[in-house]
Amino acid sequence: MANKEYKSDVFSMLLQDKKRAMEIYNAINGTDYDDPELVEMTTLDDKSFSLTVRNDASFILDANLSLYEHQSTYCPNMPLRDLLYFASIIQKRIKAQKRDIYGGRILKIPVPHFVVFYNGKEDAPDQYDLRLSDAFEKETEDPEIELVCHVYNINSRKIPHCCQNARHCVNICILWIWCGKIMKSVEIWKMPLRKLSTSVWKKMCLGIFWLNTGRR
């Protein structure tokens, strides 16, 4: 089990809860929604999709489509990946709602917002943006299509201000940091994961249980 796999699995698992998704949405956008039933989950799980999407978490709230991703390694291709995620989500919605894309009426779609929570080993600013236009083979001053992905560095002592109001978001940050320290120790001692003591695995499971239930 790779380091980045369990972190993203925890992220994806927790963000499937509508209340937690709403809390993080409120923290990032400065809103105060209090009804989790307003959240519509749109996380991609199509195994036939050409890219790995199981780490993706997305939902719609107040006509805004939020696509959240966790990354433990720097990935400059996130805008391109988000473009494909967004197109796939919209395609599924149009098909499910049996809407006519060739008709004479404009089809309204949710407003997309792209966010990445980064906690890799490489140094990074507290917050920065990645743009789809940076991937264009030819530089253009006025791209006719653009996608901006907001990246937040959630490493120790760098939890972004917008996330500090979201209890679960901070808890996720703490779990990632704590698990990262365990993995660093494992790497130092060249210890196979299967030989980790039962107590270590128990603590990791309890950490996930605590985040998932709010109980200690």
Side-chain angles (χ1 to χ4, degrees), residues 2 7 28 35 37 41 48 87 106 118 121 140 167 169 191:
K7 293 177 183 178
I28 290 179
D35 184 4
E37 293 307 311
M41 306 307 299
S48 65
I106 186 171
Y118 169 79
K121 296 180 180 179
T140 176
R167 176 170 55 88
C169 189
M191 181 189 299

Side-chain angles (χ1 to χ4, degrees), residues 159-211:
I159 296 176
H161 176 72
C162 68
C163 295
Q164 292 183 10
N165 294 326
R167 176 170 55 88
H168 290 291
C169 189
V170 173
N171 287 344
I172 293 171
C173 295
I174 293 172
L175 179 62
W176 281 338
I177 294 166
W178 181 65
C179 289
K181 290 180 179 179
I182 290 178
M183 295 304 296
K184 185 176 181 180
S185 298
V186 171
E187 292 172 1
I188 291 174
W189 294 101
K190 306 296 182 183
M191 181 189 299
L193 284 176
R194 64 179 180 275
K195 291 188 177 181
L196 280 178
S197 67
T198 302
S199 62
V200 171
W201 282 116
K202 183 177 180 181
K203 289 178 181 178
M204 293 179 72
C205 291
L206 285 175
I208 295 174
F209 175 77
W210 165 49
L211 291 175

Side-chain angles (χ1 to χ4, degrees), residues 144-169:
E144 296 185 12
I145 182 173
E146 183 63 284
L147 187 154
V148 180
C149 183
H150 303 294
V151 184
Y152 296 101
N153 187 340
I154 58 171
N155 277 303
S156 182
R157 296 184 300 277
K158 287 191 175 182
I159 296 176
H161 176 72
C162 68
C163 295
Q164 292 183 10
N165 294 326
R167 176 170 55 88
H168 290 291
C169 189

Side-chain angles (χ1 to χ4, degrees), residues 22-35:
M22 181 185 66
E23 286 181 354
I24 296 181
Y25 178 93
N26 282 337
I28 290 179
N29 295 283
T31 52
D32 57 357
Y33 292 99
D34 58 5
D35 184 4

Side-chain angles (χ1 to χ4, degrees), residues 23 36-37 39 49 59 62 64 70 86 95 108 119 124 133 141 154 174 186 197-198 205-206:
E23 286 181 354
E37 293 307 311
V39 176
F49 197 60
F59 57 91
D62 190 25
N64 290 293
H70 162 254
F86 176 68
K95 184 177 180 180
K108 297 290 186 178
N119 76 318
S133 59
E141 294 182 358
I154 58 171
I174 293 172
V186 171
S197 67
T198 302
C205 291
L206 285 175

Side-chain angles (χ1 to χ4, degrees), residues 104-123:
R105 293 185 177 182
I106 186 171
L107 300 184
K108 297 290 186 178
I109 61 175
V111 180
H113 300 278
F114 309 96
V115 174
V116 170
F117 298 99
Y118 169 79
N119 76 318
K121 296 180 180 179
E122 299 180 27
D123 290 336

